[in-house]
Amino acid sequence: MSRHAAVPSAKFYARRIAVGASAAALAATGLLTTAPTALASPPPPVDAGTARTYLAQLTVAAEGSSDGYSREKFPHWITQSGACNTREVVLKRDGTNVEQDSKCAAVKGSWYSEYDGATWTNAADLDIDHMVPLAEAWRSGAKGWTTADRQAFANDLTRPQLIAVTDNVNQAKSDKDPAEWLPSRAAYKCTYAQMWVHVKHYWKLTVDQAEKTALEGVLKNC
């Protein structure tokens, strides 16, 4: 996940067209399958019942200002081991048959994007999504954190905070909360809500009322 500007650019729409054409071409050659060839696998979130309990425990507050926010205040992607940074660790974790070069860059593999059901064989087609976007976290309490805390949040491999997904989809999500954006793939909405609540609860971030209502609406059916 890298967060991007909330307003889609011309490049975004051009990329969407390219994705559609690419998907059609892959389908024709049999390289894009209808069934997942790999399932993204961040740490599993709490179950739906626990998520409902966690959600009830979150502090409800009006979303704060974005004043002073910048991505640089959430240092990422940091080195995890050797030449591997957080992005490459997630690409390796979330893919199938991933091969990396001497610099730890993923040069081969297959990735299934849980948000939209697309399968990719080029790592460049994937973003690493921050489940709770950095800007959203800033407005929900991270503004008052230390830089070390924000770095830990932005590179959190222990909670379900990072997941490899189609880049366009991640860009469309931008820094929106679940009142404004949910995955198009219905089968993943419960998991998405559970992941979101798990992360916010652990990091003691607030929720606004619309966000809480949207999450309650998803979780009641899980």
Side-chain angles (χ1 to χ4, degrees), residues 15-96:
R15 175 77 177 113
R16 289 197 69 177
I17 294 170
V19 167
S22 175
L26 287 169
T29 60
L31 294 177
L32 184 69
T33 60
T34 54
T37 56
L39 294 176
S41 53
V46 295
D47 61 33
T50 303
R52 288 190 288 269
T53 298
Y54 279 6
L55 180 58
Q57 295 171 351
L58 292 177
T59 298
V60 178
E63 196 167 85
S65 168
S66 292
D67 290 351
Y69 167 75
S70 73
R71 290 176 59 76
E72 288 68 31
K73 292 183 178 179
F74 293 78
H76 66 289
W77 305 111
I78 63 170
T79 300
Q80 293 291 339
S81 65
C84 300
N85 65 24
T86 307
R87 172 182 166 83
E88 299 302 344
V89 169
V90 175
L91 285 172
K92 175 74 171 178
R93 181 197 71 189
D94 289 2
T96 293

Side-chain angles (χ1 to χ4, degrees), residues 72-135:
E72 288 68 31
K73 292 183 178 179
F74 293 78
H76 66 289
W77 305 111
I78 63 170
T79 300
Q80 293 291 339
S81 65
C84 300
N85 65 24
T86 307
R87 172 182 166 83
E88 299 302 344
V89 169
V90 175
L91 285 172
K92 175 74 171 178
R93 181 197 71 189
D94 289 2
T96 293
N97 299 323
V98 177
E99 296 180 9
Q100 298 170 305
D101 63 18
S102 61
K103 296 182 180 179
C104 205
V107 295
K108 185 177 180 181
S110 177
W111 293 268
Y112 178 74
S113 171
E114 290 281 12
Y115 290 1
D116 58 333
T119 298
W120 302 98
T121 56
N122 183 348
D125 289 316
L126 299 155
D127 277 353
I128 306 306
D129 179 40
H130 287 100
M131 171 57 54
V132 176
L134 305 183

